[in-house]
């Protein structure tokens, strides 16, 4: 098992290129099931979640070729095993996205209830209720979802709460349904828009993209295409915070500033000088200590829950008091005890962390618990005095491509070592 060893206190400086979005790549790979011929997907990141998705598709009869470092040729057009097994699904909650495509194309699916990071409950009832409204017969037994249909029929779907993966599942299921489906209270994340654009390029008829009401007119078939996924806005934001917490100055290429307005607004509040161009974002702290900034997570376009832990780390060394309120997941504060071991002054009150900024953190031996918590510990280690060692960094590999190499290129003293 690997761990990261960081010698902190070095301002990050330089330019890096962001990878493609994990949260776009995963649903698009599952959407390849809908196509009658292969797809080529460009700008895909090399992540463990991508590898898990490809293994899951292969177990069902798909083939793939890694054509270059970021280009995938995927043929999921003729599956011969309509079962998503527990042994693969348990490691990644996004694997539930296999359900809608399999059901609408093949009329049946057996999918294990998903797993993933331990940051809160992720009920699938919203997925199942919406698919039943489209005409599916569904039962859950022995940890598996059994779904069948003689043909999905377009329907008017209303989500009681905003949900990203259920929105994606229903969009994919509706593309081959008979008639028109209207999805109300749909999630509006940029990754959903990316999925819709991919499906439309395949021949789907989806409108209302970037809004909370998405209309899908069913079509008889979808075709394979070549497509490039959008950049990973969470990765971009994480590196910007890494520069801010170390008092550095960096530029991130292959970034979409329009998708990151809430995060960039908070970075400006802490005192960062932000400059944006069409496909790049630059941050310069000019060696200044950041100012404390309070945040409340919410659904897009509000502040993303996937950046809560990183901003918590930033606030630990900021000037002033702040509060960090988590409104999406009930157990997304597992990084708090680890940050406190580094000298952070944090108090957890329900779903809010009250933070009193300290002038500096000290290196410590830390344990990563989930993907974004792992990132926050790396950021804290970059800013801390002395040596920080982070165990269980396999969590990082789910969402950050070659993170230590990118940080090294910016001047960080960070090494991945094996126990």
């Amino acid at each position: 098992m690997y761990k990261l060893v960081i010698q902190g206190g070095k301002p990050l400086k330089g330019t890096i290129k962001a990878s493609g979005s994990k949260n776009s790549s995963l649903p698009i790979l599952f959407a390849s099931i809908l196509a009658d011929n292969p797809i080529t997907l460009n700008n895909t990141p090399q992540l463990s979640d991508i590898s898990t998705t490809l293994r899951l598709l292969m177990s069902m009869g798909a083939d793939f070729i890694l054509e270059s470092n970021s280009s995938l040729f995927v043929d999921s057009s003729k599956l011969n095993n309509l079962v998503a097994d527990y042994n693969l699904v348990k490691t990644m909650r996004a694997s539930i996205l296999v359900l809608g495509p399999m059901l609408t194309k093949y009329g049946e699916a057996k999918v294990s209830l998903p797993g993933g990071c331990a940051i809160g409950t992720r009920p699938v009832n919203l997925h199942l209720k919406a698919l039943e409204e489209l005409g599916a017969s569904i039962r859950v037994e022995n940890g598996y979802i059994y779904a069948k249909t003689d043909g999905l029929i377009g329907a008017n779907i209303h989500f009681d709460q905003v949900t990203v993966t259920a929105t994606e599942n229903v969009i994919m299921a509706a593309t081959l349904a008979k008639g028109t489906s209207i999805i109300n209270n749909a999630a509006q994340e940029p990754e959903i828009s990316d999925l819709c654009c991919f499906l439309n390029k395949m021949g789907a008829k989806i409108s209302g993209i970037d809004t909370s009401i998405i209309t899908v007119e069913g079509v008889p078939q979808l075709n394979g295409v070549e497509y490039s996924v959008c950049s990973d806005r969470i990765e971009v934001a994480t590196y910007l915070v890494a520069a801010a917490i170390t008092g550095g100055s960096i530029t991130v290429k292959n970034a979409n500033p329009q998708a990151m307005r809430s995060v960039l607004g908070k970075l400006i509040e802490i005192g960062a000088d932000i400059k944006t161009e069409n496909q790049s974002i630059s941050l310069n702290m000019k060696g200044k200590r950041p100012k404390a900034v309070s945040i409340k997570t919410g659904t897009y376009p509000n502040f993303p829950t996937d950046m809560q832990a990183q901003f918590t780390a930033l606030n630990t060394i900021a000037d002033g008091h702040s509060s960090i309120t988590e409104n999406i997941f009930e157990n997304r504060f597992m990084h708090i005890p680890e940050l406190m071991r580094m000298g952070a002054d944090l108090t957890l009150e329900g779903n809010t962390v009250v933070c009193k900024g300290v002038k500096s953190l000290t290196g410590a031996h830390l344990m990563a618990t989930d993907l974004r918590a792992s990132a926050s510990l790396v950021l804290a280690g970059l800013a801390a005095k002395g040596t920080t060692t982070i165990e269980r960094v396999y969590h990082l590999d789910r969402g950050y491509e070659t993170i230590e190499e990118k940080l090294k290129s910016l001047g960080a003293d960070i090494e991945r070592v094996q126990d």
Side-chain angles (χ1 to χ4, degrees), residues 215-331:
T215 301
V216 184
E217 183 182 341
V219 297
Q221 67 180 49
L222 296 173
N223 300 307
V225 295
E226 183 172 353
Y227 191 81
S228 293
V229 300
C230 65
S231 62
D232 195 315
R233 62 192 171 99
I234 303 302
E235 185 201 27
V236 173
T238 299
Y239 286 118
L240 293 175
V241 174
I245 201 172
T246 61
S249 174
I250 71 167
T251 296
V252 184
K253 302 285 189 181
N254 189 34
N256 179 7
Q258 292 301 312
M260 298 177 55
R261 284 173 289 184
S262 63
V263 169
L264 295 181
K266 290 299 180 182
L267 289 171
I268 291 170
E269 279 188 49
I270 70 162
D273 181 16
I274 300 287
K275 289 185 171 58
T276 63
E277 295 183 6
N278 186 34
Q279 290 292 321
S280 74
I281 303 172
S282 298
L283 178 145
N284 190 347
M285 282 302 295
K286 299 179 180 178
K288 298 180 298 183
R289 183 184 180 190
K291 300 174 184 177
V293 60
S294 293
I295 61 171
K296 294 181 179 180
T297 66
T299 55
Y300 188 87
N302 296 306
F303 192 90
T305 180
D306 279 353
M307 284 304 301
Q308 177 259 109
Q310 298 91 313
F311 266 78
T312 301
L314 179 63
N315 273 322
T316 63
I317 55 93
D319 182 15
H321 293 67
S322 60
S323 62
I324 302 101
T325 302
E326 175 56 58
N327 292 314
I328 304 298
F329 295 119
E330 72 277 9
N331 194 28

Side-chain angles (χ1 to χ4, degrees), residues 79-372:
L79 302 187
N80 52 34
N81 174 33
L82 301 179
V83 178
D85 189 75
Y86 169 76
N87 288 324
L88 287 170
V89 171
K90 68 180 180 181
T91 63
M92 188 181 68
R93 67 182 183 274
S95 52
I96 189 67
L97 291 173
V98 76
L99 180 59
M102 272 205 297
L103 182 62
T104 196
K105 185 169 184 181
Y106 294 98
E108 62 179 290
K110 177 184 175 183
V111 180
S112 172
L113 291 170
C117 292
I119 60 172
T121 57
R122 270 69 171 266
V124 299
N125 59 301
L126 296 175
H127 300 246
L128 305 188
K129 180 176 180 290
L131 291 173
E132 285 178 330
E133 290 175 356
L134 289 172
S137 173
I138 295 176
R139 74 181 196 276
V140 179
E141 291 180 0
N142 303 318
Y144 277 85
I145 301 165
Y146 296 81
K148 286 191 175 183
T149 181
D150 293 328
L152 297 181
I153 306 295
N156 196 323
I157 307 294
H158 180 86
F159 287 120
D160 292 334
Q161 64 189 74
V162 177
T163 163
V164 173
T165 51
T167 298
E168 292 169 335
N169 235 341
V170 173
I171 288 170
M172 290 187 284
T175 56
L176 297 179
K178 294 180 180 178
T180 299
S181 297
I182 300 174
I183 305 167
N184 300 280
N185 201 27
Q188 301 176 59
E189 271 69 9
E191 295 79 17
I192 291 177
S193 300
D194 210 27
L195 171 64
C196 290
C197 289
F198 169 74
L199 291 168
N200 278 347
K201 192 171 183 181
M202 292 169 67
K205 294 182 179 180
I206 303 171
S207 58
I209 299 172
D210 294 327
T211 77
S212 63
I213 303 176
I214 295 175
T215 301
V216 184
E217 183 182 341
V219 297
Q221 67 180 49
L222 296 173
N223 300 307
V225 295
E226 183 172 353
Y227 191 81
S228 293
V229 300
C230 65
S231 62
D232 195 315
R233 62 192 171 99
I234 303 302
E235 185 201 27
V236 173
T238 299
Y239 286 118
L240 293 175
V241 174
I245 201 172
T246 61
S249 174
I250 71 167
T251 296
V252 184
K253 302 285 189 181
N254 189 34
N256 179 7
Q258 292 301 312
M260 298 177 55
R261 284 173 289 184
S262 63
V263 169
L264 295 181
K266 290 299 180 182
L267 289 171
I268 291 170
E269 279 188 49
I270 70 162
D273 181 16
I274 300 287
K275 289 185 171 58
T276 63
E277 295 183 6
N278 186 34
Q279 290 292 321
S280 74
I281 303 172
S282 298
L283 178 145
N284 190 347
M285 282 302 295
K286 299 179 180 178
K288 298 180 298 183
R289 183 184 180 190
K291 300 174 184 177
V293 60
S294 293
I295 61 171
K296 294 181 179 180
T297 66
T299 55
Y300 188 87
N302 296 306
F303 192 90
T305 180
D306 279 353
M307 284 304 301
Q308 177 259 109
Q310 298 91 313
F311 266 78
T312 301
L314 179 63
N315 273 322
T316 63
I317 55 93
D319 182 15
H321 293 67
S322 60
S323 62
I324 302 101
T325 302
E326 175 56 58
N327 292 314
I328 304 298
F329 295 119
E330 72 277 9
N331 194 28
R332 203 163 203 173
F333 284 127
M334 290 185 287
H335 49 288
I336 299 303
E338 301 301 295
L339 292 172
M340 291 173 68
R341 296 184 68 243
M342 303 178 75
D345 188 344
L346 301 167
T347 304
L348 184 57
E349 300 176 355
N351 67 329
T352 296
V353 172
V354 178
C355 177
K356 179 181 179 182
V358 298
K359 288 188 177 180
S360 63
L361 301 173
T362 55
H365 205 114
L366 308 173
M367 188 73 71
T369 54
D370 63 73
L371 172 55
R372 306 307 174 184

